Amino acid sequence: MSDYRRFYVPGGTFFFTIVTYKRRPILTDPVARRYLREAFLHIKKTRPYCQLAAVLLPDHLHFLWALPAGDSNYSVRIRRLKEEFTVNWLSRGGSEEAVTASQRRRGERGIWQPRFWEHTIRDEDDLDAHFDYIHWNPRKHCLVSR
């Protein structure tokens, strides 16, 4: 099993990427966007964060969060975000990909790829670079897709 190590900085700022399972373009669906927005808002009420930037693409999303002083638990927030979206999506007729028996035993569903990518923002230049990445990513995605 892989050994994933995350860097937790209380009150830190982080860049995240989460991806749909098998990169299915379900995030273009208006209902999916609504459930994702609702999940973000609910998580923000229960575990506050400041969202500095975000971009939603057909099969993944990037976002920048600043956590409150003394709080470094972004993993719980992202897990809950995926869980809330998944429950709402599936209960309202959204589809999912088949997963293996092993994945099913681990509680994985065919909505999101397991885990997520995170980067701890080091300084203002790093923040600017990731903010720019979020800003320009949809344009890059559209140009490559043509």
Side-chain angles (χ1 to χ4, degrees):
M1 177 180 241
S2 298
D3 183 22
Y4 290 92
R5 295 182 188 257
R6 302 243 185 239
F7 191 44
Y8 294 97
V9 177
T13 300
F14 306 90
F15 172 85
F16 301 102
T17 301
I18 60 176
V19 181
T20 60
Y21 189 67
K22 295 185 178 180
R23 288 204 170 257
R24 289 181 53 224
I26 63 172
L27 302 178
T28 57
D29 185 300
V31 174
R33 290 194 307 264
R34 186 176 108 217
Y35 294 144
L36 194 57
R37 181 175 38 253
E38 288 173 4
F40 267 102
L41 292 171
H42 184 257
I43 300 307
K44 190 171 189 173
K45 285 180 187 173
T46 59
R47 293 187 174 269
Y49 62 85
C50 178
Q51 186 158 295
L52 304 172
V55 62
L56 178 64
L57 296 156
D59 60 357
H60 68 286
L61 60 144
H62 304 289
F63 47 101
L64 276 164
W65 279 352
L67 298 185
D71 188 345
S72 63
N73 203 344
Y74 52 76
S75 291
V76 167
R77 288 170 172 87
I78 293 176
R79 183 179 71 239
R80 292 294 304 135
L81 181 74
K82 288 178 170 184
E83 287 171 352
E84 288 196 23
F85 174 86
T86 298
V87 166
N88 286 329
W89 175 251
L90 294 176
S91 71
R92 306 310 195 289
S95 64
E96 70 179 309
E97 286 289 314
V99 295
T100 65
S102 174
Q103 289 171 310
R104 183 72 65 186
R105 279 192 301 276
R106 289 191 307 268
E108 296 176 21
R109 304 294 302 256
I111 303 295
W112 298 105
Q113 284 187 8
R115 301 185 184 87
F116 57 91
W117 193 84
E118 58 82 17
H119 169 78
T120 303
I121 301 298
R122 297 178 306 271
D123 54 31
E124 288 295 321
D125 289 338
D126 195 23
L127 177 63
D128 289 345
H130 284 83
F131 191 86
D132 286 345
Y133 182 82
I134 285 173
H135 178 97
W136 291 105
N137 193 254
R139 180 175 164 80
K140 181 181 123 194
H141 181 76
C142 290
L143 292 175
V144 169
S145 298
R146 284 187 186 169

